[in-house]
């Protein structure tokens, strides 16, 4: 009877250890899948950040800014009337440039 009880306890301990090990392996696999998913997401976001940085470089490049400034900022001397009267000065400013500032 003692042998049977010892054998039963031993079988229960081995079964418990096997169940614990299988549960732990399952959790490890799930965590690895989650980590892989996060790494793919990080790579995708990093590629998007790199693309946006390149876009900013292109938009802020010297040739493009020179082109924009030549189109929108004609550097002509102002008249004395413009300096004396603010309404005349506002008429001289490009209205398209003023509208871009406001939604």
């Amino acid at each position: 009877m003692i042998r049977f009880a010892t054998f039963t306890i031993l079988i229960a301990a081995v079964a418990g250890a096997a169940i614990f090990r299988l549960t732990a392996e399952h959790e490890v696999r799930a965590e690895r899948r989650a980590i892989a998913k996060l790494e793919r997401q990080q790579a995708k976001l990093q590629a998007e950040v790199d693309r946006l940085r390149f876009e900013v470089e292109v938009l802020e490049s010297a040739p493009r800014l020179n082109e924009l400034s030549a189109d929108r900022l004609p550097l002509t001397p102002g008249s004395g009337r413009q300096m004396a009267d603010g309404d005349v000065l506002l008429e001289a400013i490009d209205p398209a440039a003023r509208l871009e500032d406001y939604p």
Side-chain angles (χ1 to χ4, degrees), residues 1-83:
M1 182 75 160
I2 294 177
R3 287 184 183 173
F4 180 72
T6 307
F7 185 68
T8 305
I9 292 172
L10 182 62
I11 288 176
V14 169
I19 290 172
F20 178 75
R21 181 169 184 243
L22 290 174
T23 304
E25 284 181 9
H26 176 70
E27 289 177 5
V28 167
R29 286 187 192 120
E31 292 300 320
R32 284 184 181 162
R33 283 192 299 270
I35 289 171
K37 181 180 177 183
L38 289 174
E39 286 174 347
R40 286 190 305 270
Q41 185 179 8
Q42 180 186 11
K44 181 180 175 184
L45 290 174
Q46 187 61 45
E48 181 71 12
V49 166
D50 293 340
R51 185 188 67 79
L52 290 172
R53 282 188 180 147
F54 177 73
E55 189 173 332
V56 167
E57 282 182 31
V58 169
L59 292 174
E60 292 180 347
S61 67
R64 184 172 184 284
L65 293 177
N66 286 337
E67 179 183 320
L68 288 175
S69 66
D71 290 345
R72 298 203 179 194
L73 300 172
L75 299 177
T76 58
S79 68
R81 186 167 170 237
Q82 287 175 340
M83 296 302 153

